[in-house]
Amino acid sequence: PGNVGVISIGKTSTVLTNLGANQKRAVLAEIRLDAGITDGGTLKRLTFKVGGTIAPTAITNIILRDPNAAQFIIDSSRLGPGRIVDNALGLDANGRVTFTFPMQIMSLPAGSSQTFQLTADIASTAKTGETIQVFVEQDADVVVQNSAGYGLSVNISSYDNSSSDGSDATWLSIY
């Protein structure tokens, strides 16, 4: 997994379904972080750009989950597959959502992979045909520190939407 000394981010092979208006805990993206074989570290920050034609205010209660971990229930409104890693009320003014991990809880050892799901509530105001695009805009949006506290190199080219066709981002539609 990953390149030597580099943290890489990309889509998983999971096929996501299109979303409906007023859908709760809809899966917007499933991504994987891969640590290089010589360097691992601790995930400190992960920022996603959520674009498309849907109004940013139509995406709320955003949750980052570890779908492979045992479920940790905070309250019944957040039930779903996997452990909740972090959450945000909504997108910022630029259509971005940032998750931060100040504690040493998100370990990414050398040669390992970690899968995350981004889920959210879709408002009833979402219209059929509107699109949602999820990707990482820049390397600095993924921060992984080694044990000495230095940031590791990050490769986002497999999840940066540079192809503008959904092959290197998650593209979904409202049905």
Side-chain angles (χ1 to χ4, degrees):
N3 298 320
V4 175
V6 175
I7 303 296
S8 300
I9 185 170
K11 292 193 304 188
T12 67
S13 59
T14 301
V15 176
L16 301 178
T17 59
N18 287 325
L19 310 172
N22 205 31
Q23 186 174 342
K24 304 297 182 206
R25 293 175 296 284
V27 179
L28 301 184
E30 184 171 286
I31 58 101
R32 190 175 87 185
L33 290 174
D34 294 324
I37 60 173
T38 61
D39 287 316
T42 303
L43 182 63
K44 292 296 186 180
R45 185 178 68 236
L46 188 55
T47 299
F48 295 97
K49 170 71 174 180
V50 182
T53 59
I54 194 168
T57 56
I59 299 172
T60 59
N61 298 322
I62 304 167
I63 296 174
L64 186 69
R65 295 179 184 275
D66 175 352
N68 299 315
Q71 184 173 11
F72 179 72
I73 300 172
I74 292 177
D75 64 55
S76 62
S77 67
R78 296 186 186 180
L79 292 175
R83 179 175 63 92
I84 294 172
V85 177
D86 200 5
N87 64 297
L89 294 176
L91 302 172
D92 69 14
N94 297 311
R96 297 163 55 93
V97 59
T98 298
F99 301 101
T100 56
F101 314 101
M103 307 300 277
Q104 299 286 331
I105 59 167
M106 294 308 306
S107 179
L108 192 61
S112 71
S113 295
Q114 176 66 51
T115 299
F116 293 103
Q117 283 184 341
L118 189 65
T119 64
D121 294 346
I122 307 299
S124 60
T125 56
K127 296 175 182 55
T128 300
E130 288 183 323
T131 61
I132 299 173
Q133 299 173 355
V134 181
F135 54 95
V136 173
E137 285 187 293
Q138 52 193 346
D139 292 348
D141 288 339
V142 181
V143 176
V144 179
Q145 290 181 344
N146 65 15
S147 59
Y150 295 103
L152 297 176
S153 296
V154 176
N155 178 354
I156 65 166
S157 64
S158 293
Y159 204 67
D160 64 359
N161 204 31
S162 61
S163 298
S164 297
D165 63 6
S167 63
D168 58 355
T170 303
W171 285 20
L172 300 167
S173 294
I174 303 297
Y175 63 87

